[in-house]
Amino acid sequence: MGTKQLVIIHGRDKKPKCDEMLRLIKMALIAGLRRVNEEAAQRLEQEHISLTFSYYGDINNRLLLESRPRYGQLFEKEEDGNFYVPDHFYDESMQQLINRPTDQMTPEEYELLIANEPIIHFYDDAAKKLSPYLSLFGMSTRAIKKLLPDLGAYLTSRVVGSQIRERLQAPLTKALSSGDDVMLLSHSMGCMVAYDVLWKFSRMSEYKHLWEYKVNEWITLGNPLGEPAVKRSLYDSNEPDDGMYPANIRHWTNINAVDDYIAHDAAIEDDFYLMLSRNLIESINDQPLIYTFWKDSHTGRTNPHNFFAYLNHPKVAEQVANWILRS
């Protein structure tokens, strides 16, 4: 194989402009790589690794603003007519994250970080109690749509879903068609988008020209694919048995954080084990839960689900570094 290509897709919630989001992603990931391997960090920093970013934050922001007008107090309207989180809004929080010593990313340090935030534990307890009940009565999708408008719109709107999937389809088509060593790294709602696009590429006749290509490494972070309401809404959920699951992934590594209520079902191998038994994939690896350390400098609140905190964690960086350095 030739060049290594890293394709990244973000998750739900409010976002800055594409260039700003990519700057923050690089900052968090390169700093994370430096926690585990300087050579890998330099290869990415010096652009020896091709990095492509799939961005749909403008769609997220529009959906959030339509559902919750109060977001207008945070967003700035740009020349393209869309609304975004202002540039540099996250800089102070990012510096706090990347300046934290690796030996202070422990369970004990995490408990200190969230000591005054009972809401985190409330969300976790509520998810444990409510998710099975709501799923049983078919209400989880509606509940998600009410609580998380952007994610809910992806699950329930064909138009929104198509708009978002297109943002990944074009760059991933280019990366796969090159025959290069491709790693796809997805977060949160981006895991759902990635799954659906991978399924389309490996199952639908209009993408037959891509059937011979595979993503060598798929890393899912803060991944909701194990949630019943999400699984029922995936592209292959109503397919005949022989058409289920993507067939173009070699290795799938799943990493979730403690208290990440978007990814409450932290394991995915038990949900997608048939991919292994049908030889559709070589490995599915659920990593042990990690502790993330994002604290918003504006509100003082922590967010275990934060994408930058995942990217900066040594366990995530280790997966990326191993791929970068592998011949």
Side-chain angles (χ1 to χ4, degrees):
M1 288 187 180
T3 305
K4 290 181 180 289
Q5 297 208 36
L6 175 59
V7 180
I8 296 178
I9 180 168
H10 64 80
R12 62 163 303 273
D13 209 358
K14 58 189 181 296
K15 295 290 181 283
K17 296 192 299 292
C18 181
D19 288 349
E20 173 72 356
M21 186 70 185
L22 180 57
R23 179 184 72 87
L24 293 166
I25 285 172
K26 286 182 176 179
M27 186 182 302
L29 181 54
I30 290 170
L33 288 169
R34 287 210 159 89
R35 295 185 187 276
V36 297
N37 190 289
E38 178 63 27
E39 181 183 352
Q42 288 187 16
R43 288 194 189 182
L44 184 59
E45 188 172 42
Q46 296 171 10
E47 300 183 354
H48 297 307
I49 304 297
S50 174
L51 192 160
T52 303
F53 179 41
S54 173
Y55 175 82
Y56 58 95
D58 55 325
I59 301 175
N60 277 1
N61 293 347
R62 172 174 55 81
L63 293 167
L64 291 169
L65 193 58
E66 289 172 355
S67 176
R68 298 173 182 171
R70 69 176 183 273
Y71 274 95
Q73 300 173 10
L74 172 62
F75 293 148
E76 291 183 350
K77 189 174 184 178
E78 297 294 333
E79 293 181 359
D80 63 2
N82 293 315
F83 292 83
Y84 302 95
V85 175
D87 288 356
H88 305 291
F89 184 84
Y90 295 114
D91 281 3
E92 185 177 344
S93 305
M94 180 68 76
Q95 287 302 319
Q96 292 176 2
L97 174 71
I98 65 180
N99 289 339
R100 175 178 286 271
T102 303
D103 61 7
Q104 291 183 21
M105 302 178 84
T106 63
E108 294 76 18
E109 290 291 332
Y110 177 76
E111 289 300 323
L112 292 174
L113 185 75
I114 68 166
N116 298 317
E117 298 211 38
I119 190 67
I120 288 180
H121 298 296
F122 166 78
Y123 274 132
D124 194 54
D125 290 341
K128 289 176 182 175
K129 294 174 183 177
L130 293 178
S131 184
Y133 177 83
L134 294 174
S135 298
L136 180 63
F137 289 95
M139 296 172 60
S140 284
T141 300
R142 293 201 300 274
I144 289 172
K145 188 174 182 180
K146 184 175 179 62
L147 293 170
L148 309 169
D150 46 357
L151 191 150
Y154 181 80
L155 291 176
T156 61
S157 169
R158 183 176 296 275
V159 172
V160 171
S162 295
Q163 290 173 342
I164 293 175
R165 284 187 292 274
E166 178 58 32
R167 301 291 180 90
L168 178 60
Q169 284 171 194
L172 189 57
T173 295
K174 185 176 180 180
L176 288 172
S177 299
S178 70
D180 291 337
D181 183 355
V182 176
M183 169 180 277
L184 175 59
L185 192 156
S186 57
H187 175 245
S188 183
M189 176 175 153
C191 301
M192 298 156 52
V193 180
Y195 182 96
D196 284 343
V197 170
L198 289 166
W199 182 86
K200 289 176 66 178
F201 281 5
S202 62
R203 296 294 192 176
M204 297 179 72
S205 59
E206 54 262 49
Y207 298 103
K208 191 172 183 178
H209 61 288
L210 295 175
W211 285 2
E212 65 181 289
Y213 300 110
K214 290 179 180 284
V215 168
N216 280 327
E217 302 284 345
W218 185 26
I219 296 181
T220 50
L221 308 174
N223 173 17
L225 286 172
E227 295 294 338
V230 170
K231 286 192 294 182
R232 286 200 308 271
S233 302
L234 293 172
Y235 232 63
D236 63 353
S237 60
N238 294 314
E239 284 295 309
D241 193 56
D242 62 354
M244 289 190 65
Y245 309 117
N248 52 358
I249 309 161
R250 286 200 169 91
H251 304 286
W252 180 359
T253 300
N254 185 58
I255 304 177
N256 289 325
V258 170
D259 292 326
D260 186 338
Y261 55 89
I262 297 295
H264 185 259
D265 183 346
I268 48 90
E269 183 178 355
D270 58 340
D271 296 291
F272 295 91
Y273 67 93
L274 288 176
M275 293 178 69
L276 291 164
S277 63
R278 296 176 184 179
N279 296 316
L280 299 175
I281 193 169
E282 294 178 29
S283 68
I284 301 176
N285 183 10
D286 285 309
Q287 291 285 302
L289 290 172
I290 63 174
Y291 294 87
T292 58
F293 289 86
W294 182 265
K295 189 167 188 176
D296 191 306
S297 62
H298 301 278
T299 65
R301 304 301 296 273
T302 59
N303 180 5
H305 185 64
N306 182 271
F307 189 23
F308 308 132
Y310 270 106
L311 294 175
N312 188 248
H313 196 281
K315 292 299 183 183
V316 174
E318 184 178 41
Q319 297 293 325
V320 179
N322 288 343
W323 170 77
I324 289 174
L325 298 174
R326 188 178 62 212
S327 299

Coordinates of all heavy atoms in Angstrom, one line a residue, residues 128-186:
K128 N -29.7 4.6 32.0 CA -29.9 3.2 32.5 C -31.3 2.9 32.7 O -31.8 1.8 32.3 CB -29.1 3.0 33.8 CG -27.6 3.0 33.6 CD -26.9 2.8 35.0 CE -25.4 2.9 34.8 NZ -24.7 2.8 36.2
K129 N -32.1 3.8 33.3 CA -33.5 3.5 33.6 C -34.4 3.7 32.4 O -35.4 2.9 32.2 CB -33.9 4.5 34.7 CG -33.2 4.2 36.0 CD -33.6 5.3 37.1 CE -32.8 5.1 38.4 NZ -33.1 6.1 39.3
L130 N -34.2 4.7 31.6 CA -35.1 5.1 30.5 C -34.9 4.4 29.2 O -35.9 4.1 28.5 CB -35.1 6.6 30.3 CG -35.6 7.4 31.5 CD1 -35.5 8.9 31.2 CD2 -37.1 7.1 31.8
S131 N -33.6 4.1 28.8 CA -33.4 3.6 27.5 C -34.1 2.3 27.2 O -34.8 2.2 26.2 CB -31.9 3.5 27.2 OG -31.7 3.1 25.9
P132 N -34.0 1.3 28.1 CA -34.7 0.1 27.8 C -36.2 0.3 27.7 O -36.9 -0.3 26.8 CB -34.3 -0.8 29.0 CG -33.1 -0.2 29.5 CD -33.2 1.2 29.3
Y133 N -36.8 1.1 28.6 CA -38.2 1.3 28.6 C -38.7 2.0 27.3 O -39.6 1.6 26.7 CB -38.6 2.2 29.8 CG -40.1 2.5 29.9 CD1 -41.0 1.6 30.4 CD2 -40.5 3.7 29.4 CE1 -42.3 2.0 30.5 CE2 -41.9 4.1 29.4 CZ -42.8 3.2 30.0 OH -44.1 3.5 30.0
L134 N -38.0 3.1 26.9 CA -38.4 3.8 25.8 C -38.2 3.0 24.5 O -39.0 3.0 23.6 CB -37.6 5.1 25.6 CG -37.8 6.1 26.7 CD1 -36.8 7.3 26.6 CD2 -39.2 6.7 26.7
S135 N -37.1 2.2 24.5 CA -36.9 1.3 23.3 C -38.0 0.3 23.2 O -38.5 0.0 22.1 CB -35.6 0.6 23.4 OG -34.5 1.6 23.4
L136 N -38.4 -0.3 24.3 CA -39.5 -1.3 24.3 C -40.8 -0.8 23.7 O -41.4 -1.5 22.9 CB -39.7 -1.8 25.7 CG -40.8 -2.9 25.9 CD1 -40.4 -4.1 25.2 CD2 -41.1 -3.1 27.4
F137 N -41.1 0.5 23.9 CA -42.3 1.0 23.4 C -42.1 1.9 22.2 O -43.0 2.6 21.7 CB -43.0 1.9 24.5 CG -43.6 1.0 25.6 CD1 -42.9 0.7 26.7 CD2 -44.8 0.4 25.4 CE1 -43.4 -0.1 27.7 CE2 -45.3 -0.4 26.4 CZ -44.6 -0.6 27.6
G138 N -41.0 1.8 21.6 CA -40.7 2.5 20.3 C -40.6 4.0 20.4 O -40.9 4.7 19.4
M139 N -40.3 4.5 21.6 CA -40.3 5.9 21.8 C -38.9 6.6 21.7 O -38.8 7.8 21.8 CB -40.9 6.3 23.1 CG -42.4 5.9 23.2 SD -43.1 6.1 24.8 CE -42.8 7.9 25.1
S140 N -37.8 5.8 21.7 CA -36.5 6.3 21.8 C -36.2 7.3 20.7 O -35.5 8.3 21.0 CB -35.5 5.2 21.8 OG -35.5 4.5 23.1
T141 N -36.6 7.0 19.5 CA -36.3 8.0 18.4 C -36.9 9.3 18.6 O -36.2 10.4 18.5 CB -36.7 7.4 17.1 OG1 -36.1 6.1 16.9 CG2 -36.4 8.3 15.9
R142 N -38.1 9.4 19.1 CA -38.8 10.6 19.4 C -38.1 11.3 20.6 O -38.0 12.6 20.6 CB -40.3 10.4 19.7 CG -41.1 9.9 18.5 CD -42.5 10.2 18.6 NE -43.1 9.6 19.8 CZ -43.6 8.3 19.8 NH1 -43.5 7.6 18.7 NH2 -44.1 7.8 20.9
A143 N -37.7 10.6 21.6 CA -37.0 11.2 22.7 C -35.7 11.8 22.3 O -35.4 12.9 22.7 CB -36.8 10.1 23.8
I144 N -35.0 11.0 21.4 CA -33.7 11.6 20.9 C -33.9 12.8 20.1 O -33.2 13.8 20.3 CB -33.0 10.5 20.1 CG1 -32.5 9.4 21.0 CG2 -31.8 11.1 19.3 CD1 -31.9 8.2 20.2
K145 N -35.0 12.8 19.3 CA -35.2 14.0 18.5 C -35.5 15.2 19.3 O -35.1 16.4 19.0 CB -36.4 13.7 17.5 CG -36.6 14.8 16.5 CD -37.7 14.4 15.5 CE -37.9 15.5 14.4 NZ -38.9 15.1 13.4
K146 N -36.2 15.0 20.4 CA -36.5 16.2 21.3 C -35.3 16.6 22.1 O -35.1 17.8 22.2 CB -37.6 15.7 22.3 CG -38.1 16.9 23.2 CD -39.3 16.4 24.0 CE -39.8 17.5 25.0 NZ -40.3 18.7 24.3
L147 N -34.5 15.7 22.6 CA -33.4 16.1 23.4 C -32.2 16.5 22.6 O -31.4 17.4 23.0 CB -33.0 14.9 24.3 CG -34.0 14.5 25.4 CD1 -33.6 13.2 26.0 CD2 -34.1 15.6 26.4
L148 N -32.0 15.9 21.4 CA -30.8 16.1 20.6 C -31.3 16.3 19.2 O -31.3 15.4 18.3 CB -29.9 14.9 20.6 CG -29.5 14.4 22.0 CD1 -28.7 13.1 21.9 CD2 -28.6 15.4 22.8
P149 N -31.7 17.6 18.8 CA -32.4 17.8 17.5 C -31.6 17.4 16.3 O -32.1 17.0 15.3 CB -32.6 19.3 17.6 CG -32.6 19.7 19.0 CD -31.6 18.8 19.7
D150 N -30.2 17.7 16.4 CA -29.4 17.3 15.2 C -29.3 15.9 14.9 O -29.5 15.4 13.8 CB -28.0 18.0 15.3 CG -27.4 17.8 16.6 OD1 -28.0 17.2 17.5 OD2 -26.2 18.3 16.8
L151 N -29.1 15.1 16.0 CA -29.0 13.6 15.9 C -30.4 13.1 15.5 O -30.5 12.2 14.7 CB -28.5 13.0 17.2 CG -28.1 11.6 17.2 CD1 -27.0 11.3 18.2 CD2 -29.3 10.7 17.5
G152 N -31.4 13.6 16.2 CA -32.8 13.2 15.9 C -33.2 13.4 14.4 O -33.8 12.6 13.8
A153 N -32.7 14.5 13.8 CA -33.0 14.8 12.5 C -32.3 13.8 11.5 O -32.9 13.4 10.5 CB -32.6 16.3 12.1
Y154 N -31.1 13.5 11.9 CA -30.4 12.5 11.1 C -31.2 11.1 11.1 O -31.3 10.4 10.0 CB -29.0 12.3 11.5 CG -28.2 11.3 10.7 CD1 -27.7 11.6 9.5 CD2 -28.1 9.9 11.1 CE1 -27.1 10.7 8.6 CE2 -27.5 9.0 10.2 CZ -27.0 9.4 9.0 OH -26.3 8.5 8.2
L155 N -31.7 10.8 12.2 CA -32.4 9.5 12.3 C -33.8 9.5 11.6 O -34.2 8.5 11.1 CB -32.7 9.2 13.8 CG -31.4 8.8 14.7 CD1 -31.9 8.6 16.1 CD2 -30.7 7.6 14.2
T156 N -34.4 10.7 11.5 CA -35.8 10.7 11.1 C -36.0 11.4 9.8 O -37.1 11.2 9.2 CB -36.7 11.3 12.2 OG1 -36.3 12.7 12.4 CG2 -36.6 10.6 13.5
S157 N -35.1 12.2 9.3 CA -35.3 12.9 8.0 C -34.4 12.4 6.9 O -33.2 12.5 7.0 CB -35.0 14.4 8.3 OG -34.9 15.1 7.1
R158 N -35.0 11.9 5.9 CA -34.2 11.4 4.7 C -33.4 12.6 4.1 O -32.3 12.4 3.6 CB -35.2 10.8 3.7 CG -34.4 10.2 2.5 CD -35.4 9.5 1.6 NE -36.0 8.3 2.2 CZ -35.5 7.1 2.2 NH1 -34.3 6.9 1.7 NH2 -36.2 6.1 2.8
V159 N -34.0 13.8 4.0 CA -33.3 14.9 3.4 C -32.1 15.3 4.2 O -31.0 15.4 3.7 CB -34.3 16.1 3.3 CG1 -33.5 17.3 2.9 CG2 -35.4 15.8 2.3
V160 N -32.3 15.4 5.5 CA -31.1 15.8 6.4 C -30.1 14.7 6.3 O -28.9 14.9 6.2 CB -31.6 16.0 7.8 CG1 -30.4 16.2 8.8 CG2 -32.4 17.3 7.9
G161 N -30.5 13.4 6.4 CA -29.6 12.3 6.4 C -28.8 12.3 5.1 O -27.5 12.1 5.1
S162 N -29.4 12.5 4.0 CA -28.7 12.5 2.7 C -27.7 13.7 2.6 O -26.6 13.5 2.1 CB -29.7 12.6 1.5 OG -30.5 11.5 1.5
Q163 N -28.1 14.9 3.1 CA -27.2 16.0 3.1 C -25.9 15.7 3.9 O -24.8 16.1 3.4 CB -27.9 17.2 3.7 CG -29.0 17.8 2.8 CD -29.8 18.9 3.5 OE1 -29.7 19.1 4.7 NE2 -30.5 19.7 2.7
I164 N -26.1 15.1 5.0 CA -24.9 14.8 5.9 C -24.1 13.7 5.3 O -22.9 13.8 5.3 CB -25.4 14.5 7.3 CG1 -26.0 15.8 8.0 CG2 -24.3 14.0 8.2 CD1 -26.7 15.5 9.3
R165 N -24.7 12.6 4.9 CA -23.9 11.5 4.3 C -23.1 12.0 3.1 O -22.0 11.5 2.9 CB -24.9 10.4 3.9 CG -25.3 9.6 5.1 CD -26.1 8.3 4.6 NE -27.4 8.6 4.0 CZ -28.5 8.8 4.7 NH1 -28.5 8.7 6.0 NH2 -29.6 9.1 4.0
E166 N -23.6 12.9 2.3 CA -22.9 13.4 1.1 C -21.6 14.0 1.5 O -20.6 14.0 0.8 CB -23.7 14.4 0.3 CG -23.1 15.0 -0.9 CD -22.6 13.9 -1.9 OE1 -23.3 12.8 -2.0 OE2 -21.6 14.1 -2.5
R167 N -21.5 14.6 2.7 CA -20.3 15.3 3.2 C -19.2 14.3 3.4 O -18.0 14.6 3.4 CB -20.5 16.1 4.5 CG -21.6 17.1 4.3 CD -21.2 18.3 3.5 NE -22.2 19.3 3.3 CZ -22.4 20.4 4.1 NH1 -21.5 20.5 5.2 NH2 -23.3 21.2 4.0
L168 N -19.5 13.0 3.7 CA -18.5 12.0 3.9 C -18.3 11.2 2.6 O -17.2 10.7 2.3 CB -18.9 11.0 5.0 CG -18.0 9.8 5.3 CD1 -16.6 10.3 5.6 CD2 -18.5 8.9 6.4
Q169 N -19.4 11.0 1.8 CA -19.3 10.1 0.7 C -18.2 10.6 -0.3 O -17.4 9.7 -0.8 CB -20.6 10.0 -0.1 CG -21.6 9.2 0.7 CD -23.0 9.3 0.1 OE1 -24.0 8.8 0.8 NE2 -23.2 9.8 -1.0
A170 N -18.1 11.8 -0.6 CA -17.2 12.3 -1.6 C -15.7 12.1 -1.2 O -14.9 11.5 -1.9 CB -17.4 13.8 -1.9
P171 N -15.3 12.6 0.0 CA -13.9 12.3 0.4 C -13.6 10.9 0.6 O -12.4 10.5 0.3 CB -13.7 13.2 1.7 CG -15.1 13.4 2.2 CD -16.0 13.4 1.0
L172 N -14.5 10.1 1.1 CA -14.2 8.7 1.4 C -14.1 7.9 0.1 O -13.3 7.0 -0.1 CB -15.2 8.1 2.3 CG -14.9 6.7 2.8 CD1 -13.6 6.6 3.6 CD2 -16.0 6.2 3.7
T173 N -14.9 8.3 -0.9 CA -14.8 7.7 -2.2 C -13.4 7.9 -2.8 O -12.7 7.0 -3.3 CB -15.8 8.3 -3.2 OG1 -17.1 7.9 -2.7 CG2 -15.6 7.7 -4.6
K174 N -12.9 9.1 -2.7 CA -11.6 9.5 -3.2 C -10.5 8.7 -2.5 O -9.6 8.2 -3.1 CB -11.4 11.0 -3.1 CG -10.1 11.5 -3.7 CD -10.0 13.0 -3.6 CE -8.7 13.5 -4.2 NZ -8.5 15.0 -4.1
A175 N -10.6 8.6 -1.2 CA -9.6 7.9 -0.4 C -9.6 6.5 -0.7 O -8.5 5.9 -0.9 CB -9.8 8.2 1.1
L176 N -10.7 5.8 -0.8 CA -10.8 4.4 -1.0 C -10.3 4.1 -2.5 O -9.6 3.1 -2.7 CB -12.2 3.9 -0.8 CG -12.7 3.8 0.6 CD1 -14.1 3.4 0.7 CD2 -11.9 2.7 1.4
S177 N -10.7 4.9 -3.4 CA -10.4 4.6 -4.8 C -8.9 4.7 -5.1 O -8.4 4.1 -6.0 CB -11.1 5.6 -5.7 OG -12.5 5.5 -5.6
S178 N -8.2 5.4 -4.2 CA -6.7 5.5 -4.4 C -6.0 4.2 -4.1 O -4.8 4.1 -4.5 CB -6.2 6.6 -3.4 OG -6.3 6.2 -2.1
G179 N -6.6 3.3 -3.4 CA -6.0 2.1 -3.0 C -5.0 2.2 -1.8 O -4.3 1.3 -1.5
D180 N -5.0 3.4 -1.2 CA -4.1 3.7 -0.1 C -4.6 3.0 1.2 O -5.7 2.5 1.3 CB -4.0 5.2 0.1 CG -3.2 5.9 -1.0 OD1 -2.5 5.2 -1.7 OD2 -3.4 7.1 -1.2
D181 N -3.8 3.1 2.2 CA -4.1 2.6 3.5 C -5.0 3.6 4.2 O -4.5 4.7 4.6 CB -2.8 2.4 4.3 CG -3.0 1.8 5.7 OD1 -4.2 1.6 6.1 OD2 -2.0 1.5 6.4
V182 N -6.3 3.3 4.4 CA -7.2 4.3 4.9 C -7.6 4.0 6.3 O -8.0 2.9 6.6 CB -8.5 4.4 4.0 CG1 -9.5 5.3 4.6 CG2 -8.1 4.8 2.6
M183 N -7.5 5.0 7.2 CA -8.1 5.0 8.5 C -9.3 6.0 8.5 O -9.1 7.1 8.2 CB -7.1 5.3 9.6 CG -7.8 5.6 11.0 SD -6.7 6.0 12.3 CE -6.1 4.4 12.8
L184 N -10.4 5.5 9.0 CA -11.6 6.3 9.2 C -11.8 6.5 10.7 O -12.0 5.5 11.4 CB -12.8 5.7 8.5 CG -14.2 6.4 8.7 CD1 -14.2 7.8 8.1 CD2 -15.3 5.6 8.0
L185 N -11.8 7.8 11.1 CA -12.0 8.1 12.5 C -13.2 8.9 12.7 O -13.4 10.0 12.1 CB -10.7 8.9 13.0 CG -10.6 9.0 14.5 CD1 -9.1 9.3 14.9 CD2 -11.4 10.2 15.1
S186 N -14.2 8.4 13.5 CA -15.5 9.0 13.6 C -15.9 9.2 15.0 O -15.5 8.4 15.9 CB -16.6 8.2 12.8 OG -16.6 6.9 13.3

